[in-house]
């Protein structure tokens, strides 16, 4: 099976990831994908052929193998790798959508297509939630399907067409069990990284929203104070202007009252 597409996917995700997200990509690529390709795939490659029972009854080995291994460990591991990597496509596709939108409109619509804001921020938050959910589901599947994270050396089977209780032997049980423990450890590490990234994103953007509101409120209070100071200053200026006008131009009523006696005197002498 070619894993080139998953490698390209992880490299594209790494470009738009947070610091914790880049650590997650490194863990998935090195400790899961490379281990799967280099070692684990070869260990489980001939598991059916190497499964032996102490009877040659036709169909007995096949039925017992299907009973104890309904899904192959290695195939379930491959499916887990694909599923936990798929939610990261949400981020990559959203960034690609933004880039194509800018090309279509031939103008700058975003500060940067990879900026974590708006709908892209929602995808950043949804992605670690989905990845954590897939990790937990597959860990539960491994535990339920194989009765714990252990590979026994000997299993007993009495399912038809086996005529009686049959002993069946699993090849390389210790090696397989070590790789299963490694699988569980890396899955738990990825869960911790996903939850850490989710907590980091929520905390970071909660602080960012709080600071925006605080700055907006602080600027609003400053503008209100500035408006009140401007109004009081204008009122003071208008009051001073009114006093200056009254001093420069006294009322005309007093002038008339003083001039009236002097106007009446000539009439008295003429009479």
């Amino acid at each position: 099976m070619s894993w080139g597409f998953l490698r390209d996917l992880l490299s594209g995700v790494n470009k738009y990831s947070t610091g914790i997200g880049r650590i997650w990509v490194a863990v998935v690529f090195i400790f899961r994908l490379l281990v799967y390709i280099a070692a684990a795939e070869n260990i489980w490659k001939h598991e059916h052929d190497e499964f032996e029972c102490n009877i040659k009854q036709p169909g007995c080995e096949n039925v017992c193998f299907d009973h104890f291994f309904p899904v192959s460990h290695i195939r379930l591991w491959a499916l887990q790798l694909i599923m936990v990597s798929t939610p990261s496509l949400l981020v990559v596709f959203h960034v690609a959508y933004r880039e194509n939108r800018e090309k279509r409109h031939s103008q700058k619509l975003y500060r940067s297509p990879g900026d974590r804001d708006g709908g892209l921020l929602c995808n950043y938050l949804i992605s670690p939630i989905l990845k954590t959910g897939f990790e937990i589901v597959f860990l539960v599947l491994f535990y339920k399907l194989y009765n714990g994270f252990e590979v026994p050396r000997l299993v007993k089977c009495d399912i038809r067409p086996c005529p009686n209780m049959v002993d069946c032997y699993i090849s390389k049980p210790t090696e397989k069990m070590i790789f299963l423990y490694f699988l569980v450890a890396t899955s738990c590490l990825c869960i911790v990284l996903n939850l850490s990234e989710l907590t980091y994103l929520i905390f970071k953007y909660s602080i960012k929203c709080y600071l925006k509101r605080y700055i907006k409120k602080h600027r609003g209070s400053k503008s209100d104070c500035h408006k009140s100071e401007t109004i009081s200053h204008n009122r003071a200026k208008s009051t001073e202007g009114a006093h200056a006008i009254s001093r420069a131009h006294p009322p005309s009523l007093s002038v008339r009252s003083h001039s009236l006696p002097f106007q009446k005197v000539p009439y008295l002498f003429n009479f």
Side-chain angles (χ1 to χ4, degrees):
M1 182 178 181
S2 176
W3 291 92
F5 75 99
L6 188 57
R7 179 198 60 204
D8 297 336
L9 168 63
L10 293 176
S11 62
V13 171
N14 188 53
K15 185 179 178 182
Y16 303 108
S17 295
T18 61
I20 301 173
R22 290 188 178 95
I23 297 173
W24 177 87
V25 171
V27 169
V28 170
F29 185 77
I30 298 172
F31 295 104
R32 300 181 77 170
L33 183 59
L34 291 183
V35 168
Y36 176 91
I37 295 171
E41 197 171 18
N42 293 325
I43 294 172
W44 273 276
K45 191 173 184 180
H46 303 291
E47 58 177 336
H48 187 272
D49 297 334
E50 295 172 349
F51 183 82
E52 295 181 354
C53 297
N54 60 358
I55 192 171
K56 297 301 179 183
Q57 178 73 23
C60 182
E61 284 188 1
N62 290 332
V63 170
C64 292
F65 182 84
D66 183 68
H67 175 73
F68 290 107
F69 302 103
V71 181
S72 173
H73 285 85
I74 199 67
R75 290 182 179 87
L76 194 59
W77 194 353
L79 183 61
Q80 181 184 12
L81 277 173
I82 293 171
M83 294 302 292
V84 299
S85 302
T86 300
S88 301
L89 285 171
L90 295 172
V91 176
V92 177
F93 285 161
H94 199 118
V95 173
Y97 164 75
R98 285 186 168 188
E99 291 174 349
N100 290 331
R101 192 179 175 205
E102 285 187 345
K103 288 180 182 178
R104 192 168 60 249
H105 290 84
S106 300
Q107 59 180 343
K108 192 78 172 172
L109 300 176
Y110 310 96
R111 286 181 300 176
S112 173
D115 277 352
R116 291 184 287 271
D117 56 358
L120 187 58
L121 176 60
C122 294
N123 286 333
Y124 269 99
L125 294 174
I126 291 171
S127 180
I129 293 173
L130 290 178
K131 287 187 286 189
T132 303
F134 284 134
E135 295 280 12
I136 294 172
V137 167
F138 276 97
L139 285 178
V140 172
L141 276 176
F142 270 103
Y143 188 83
K144 293 290 185 182
L145 287 175
Y146 306 114
N147 297 319
F149 303 109
E150 294 185 359
V151 181
R153 299 175 183 274
L154 172 68
V155 290
K156 295 183 178 293
C157 177
D158 58 352
I159 303 172
R160 283 187 172 186
C162 298
N164 49 26
M165 185 68 69
V166 177
D167 294 336
C168 297
Y169 301 91
I170 300 171
S171 65
K172 306 172 187 175
T174 304
E175 192 174 14
K176 289 178 179 178
M177 191 166 60
I178 290 172
F179 273 93
L180 273 179
Y181 286 153
F182 184 80
L183 163 68
V184 173
T186 52
S187 295
C188 293
L189 178 59
C190 287
I191 289 172
V192 172
L193 290 172
N194 288 326
L195 293 177
S196 300
E197 184 179 16
L198 182 63
T199 305
Y200 165 76
L201 289 171
I202 293 174
F203 179 76
K204 179 181 178 181
Y205 287 96
S206 298
I207 295 295
K208 188 177 179 180
C209 292
Y210 173 76
L211 289 176
K212 279 184 178 180
R213 289 180 182 177
Y214 177 79
I215 292 171
K216 188 176 180 181
K217 185 178 179 181
H218 191 62
R219 284 179 179 175
S221 61
K222 274 190 173 181
S223 62
D224 292 339
C225 292
H226 181 68
K227 283 180 181 179
S228 62
E229 288 177 1
T230 305
I231 292 170
S232 61
H233 184 66
N234 290 335
R235 285 180 179 175
K237 277 189 174 181
S238 62
T239 307
E240 289 177 1
H243 286 304
I245 292 171
S246 63
R247 285 197 298 270
H249 301 285
S252 59
L253 182 62
S254 60
V255 176
R256 288 178 184 176
S257 62
H258 287 294
S259 61
L260 280 174
F262 294 98
Q263 291 176 358
K264 288 182 180 179
V265 172
Y267 288 100
L268 288 172
F269 284 103
N270 290 331
F271 179 77

